[in-house]
């Protein structure tokens, strides 16, 4: 597909790339506890370790020619990046614990750690869509947090999945698997941990 539709697909892919989606998710994560929005800075701190540091690493590696592009399209380059991300996320979780941050932010980070770990394992042999995983998890969690009024956000899942197909970044199976993984596993783990820790 060429022309304006391809441009739309590229915009969707950039706007809803995993670091951006996860950043927003972490910023709103303290909303389930008293003190929000005053506690939003804890979400920002978590986002620094979960999103900003790993993205900075990717951009530096792209500049050095060690990673092909900022979406890490070559799956062989993903395991090392995901391992670095896990280390950064673990450090962020530790800092939040030391600062006695809201449990809701830690719950979100733990859920993301599990998701990143599984993606790292799968990426060794199959390129499951990280875009689809992150967005589906974020949308389902937002609906669970804020209620049915947020259900229209579900339309973003097929839209972003479509963009990945148009750009030939993934197969349909990889997009569907990523969406299901995010919506069921990551969001489900978040829901379970929320019940146990909050």
């Amino acid at each position: 597909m060429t022309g304006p539709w391809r441009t739309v697909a590229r915009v969707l892919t950039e706007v809803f790339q995993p670091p951006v989606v996860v950043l927003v998710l972490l910023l709103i994560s303290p909303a389930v506890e008293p003190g929000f929005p005053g506690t939003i800075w804890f979400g920002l701190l978590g986002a620094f370790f979960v999103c900003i540091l790993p993205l900075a690493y990717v951009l530096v590696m792209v500049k050095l020619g060690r990673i092909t592009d900022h979406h890490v399209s070559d799956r062989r380059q993903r395991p090392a990046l995901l391992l670095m991300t896990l280390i950064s996320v673990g450090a962020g979780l530790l800092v939040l614990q030391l600062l006695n941050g809201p449990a809701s932010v830690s719950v979100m980070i733990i859920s993301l750690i599990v998701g990143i770990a599984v993606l790292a394992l799968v990426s060794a042999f199959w390129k499951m869509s990280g875009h689809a995983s992150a967005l589906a998890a974020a949308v389902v969690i937002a609906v669970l947090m804020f209620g049915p009024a947020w259900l229209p956000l579900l339309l973003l899942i097929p839209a972003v999945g479509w963009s990945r197909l148009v750009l030939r970044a993934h197969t349909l199976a990889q997009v569907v698997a990523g969406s299901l993984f995010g919506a069921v596993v990551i969001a489900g783990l978040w829901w379970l941990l929320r019940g146990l820790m909050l």
Side-chain angles (χ1 to χ4, degrees):
M1 188 178 293
T2 57
W5 286 115
R6 189 171 180 82
T7 301
V8 171
R10 193 173 291 114
V11 169
L12 284 170
T13 281
E14 293 298 332
V15 170
F16 295 104
Q17 60 182 289
V20 175
V21 171
V22 172
L23 171 66
V24 173
L25 198 53
L26 283 163
L27 288 176
I28 65 171
S29 62
V32 296
E33 290 186 82
F36 187 82
T39 54
I40 199 169
W41 79 271
F42 284 106
L44 183 60
L45 181 63
F48 175 76
F49 287 96
V50 177
C51 308
I52 298 170
L53 278 182
L55 181 58
Y57 171 81
V58 168
L59 295 177
V60 169
M61 290 297 103
V62 169
K63 188 79 173 174
L64 294 174
R66 296 181 186 175
I67 292 178
T68 50
D69 60 87
H70 68 286
H71 292 303
V72 197
S73 300
D74 186 343
R75 67 176 175 81
R76 293 169 298 180
Q77 297 168 349
R78 290 187 170 196
L81 165 63
L82 291 168
L83 177 61
M84 177 270 168
T85 302
L86 281 174
I87 292 169
S88 180
V89 167
L93 193 59
L94 179 61
V95 169
L96 282 166
Q97 292 299 314
L98 292 173
L99 293 175
N100 198 30
S104 52
V105 180
S106 296
V107 164
M108 191 70 75
I109 291 177
I110 292 169
S111 303
L112 292 168
I113 284 176
V114 173
I116 292 167
V118 173
L119 281 172
L121 290 173
V122 172
S123 291
F125 57 90
W126 198 54
K127 193 178 157 190
M128 185 163 64
S129 175
H131 278 74
S133 296
L135 183 66
V139 167
V140 171
I141 288 171
V143 172
L144 291 172
M145 285 176 72
F146 302 119
W150 290 63
L151 281 170
L153 287 179
L154 290 170
L155 296 173
L156 289 173
I157 298 173
V160 172
W162 167 83
S163 77
R164 303 306 285 153
L165 294 175
V166 168
L167 297 175
R168 296 184 180 179
H170 292 285
T171 64
L172 179 60
Q174 290 166 345
V175 168
V176 171
S179 299
L180 290 173
F181 177 73
V184 177
V185 178
I186 299 177
L189 180 60
W190 173 84
W191 181 256
L192 178 64
L193 290 174
R194 175 185 172 182
L196 292 173
M197 295 175 65
L198 298 184

